[in-house]
Amino acid sequence: MKFFVDTADVTEIRSLVGTGFLDGVTTNPSLIAKSGRKMSEVIAEICALTDGPVSAEVTATDHETMLKEGRYLRSIAGNVCVKVPLTEAGLRTCKVLSEEGTPVNVTLCFSANQALLAAKAGATFISPFVGRLDDIGQDGMGLIADVVQIYRNYAFKTEVLVASIRHPVHVLQSAKLGAHVGTMPPAVIRGLMKHPLTDRGLEAFLADWAKTGQSIL
């Protein structure tokens, strides 16, 4: 399972790149707005930090302008993955960009039928939002299970990119279901490393070592 970080905070991304388990980055207009910087500058800087795909989202709602924005975003760096919404215009844009060789992440997916259409349109990634479904009392992980099964049934190349991940349990469930990618905030990625027994065990080992008066170096 690939790990993408969902942020436009360059400092956070730089820190996580150093861990060796970051495979890509996803952004959206809200995250770019929080940065307070020009979108093209932020995307270019992020792309320079990682060789993995960096999702940069269009803001237009009509096909023609989406296409122009997508082509512009792709021109920023070779690892830009253009992100489009799961609308008719978005799917039309996905088809054209995919045929041009541009990787496309179709976002704001909330049903298996939508995911099926995105795969048929040539999407590189489909982004089902599990946390937002959970928020309204629906089964976010059930959607992931459905999409993974459908894609396997027909050998679609589109990868399931689980989005709106809120906590480490979402990551575990996604991995067990066979999702290809999980994108999550930096805090969730760091939360995957944490366990109270790890902390307690390390404290005990260090205390015992200190009593010996030795130094490895």
Side-chain angles (χ1 to χ4, degrees), residues 55-70:
S55 287
E57 189 166 345
V58 301
T59 57
T61 57
D62 66 284
H63 168 62
E64 293 300 330
T65 313
M66 276 189 194
L67 197 54
K68 290 177 183 177
E69 289 183 350

Side-chain angles (χ1 to χ4, degrees), residues 153-185:
N153 286 348
Y154 299 101
F156 283 121
K157 295 181 180 179
T158 303
E159 295 189 16
V160 179
L161 192 165
V162 184
S164 189
I165 287 177
R166 302 284 173 79
H167 45 70
V169 175
H170 275 154
V171 181
L172 174 61
Q173 292 172 328
S174 298
K176 288 171 71 175
L177 290 168
H180 304 89
V181 190
T183 187
M184 60 207 88

Side-chain angles (χ1 to χ4, degrees), residues 70-151:
R71 287 168 175 160
Y72 170 73
L73 291 170
R74 177 63 170 168
S75 73
I76 294 173
N79 55 333
V80 165
C81 177
V82 176
K83 201 187 222 185
V84 300
L86 214 157
T87 61
E88 182 175 347
L91 293 175
R92 289 181 63 197
T93 303
C94 173
K95 183 177 185 299
V96 175
L97 290 176
S98 296
E99 289 174 348
E100 293 177 353
T102 294
V104 179
N105 178 356
V106 179
T107 190
L108 292 171
C109 173
F110 294 98
S111 79
N113 284 334
Q114 289 180 319
L116 180 57
L117 293 175
K120 289 178 72 64
T124 308
F125 301 104
I126 182 66
S127 290
F129 279 43
V130 296
R132 295 194 190 186
L133 283 173
D134 290 351
D135 289 345
I136 62 170
Q138 295 187 15
D139 184 7
M141 298 316 303
L143 172 58
I144 301 304
D146 287 345
V147 177
V148 168
Q149 179 182 341
I150 290 169
Y151 282 10

Side-chain angles (χ1 to χ4, degrees), residues 38-49:
K38 186 177 179 181
M39 183 182 195
S40 59
E41 293 176 357
V42 176
I43 297 301
E45 188 170 354
I46 293 172
C47 287
L49 291 174

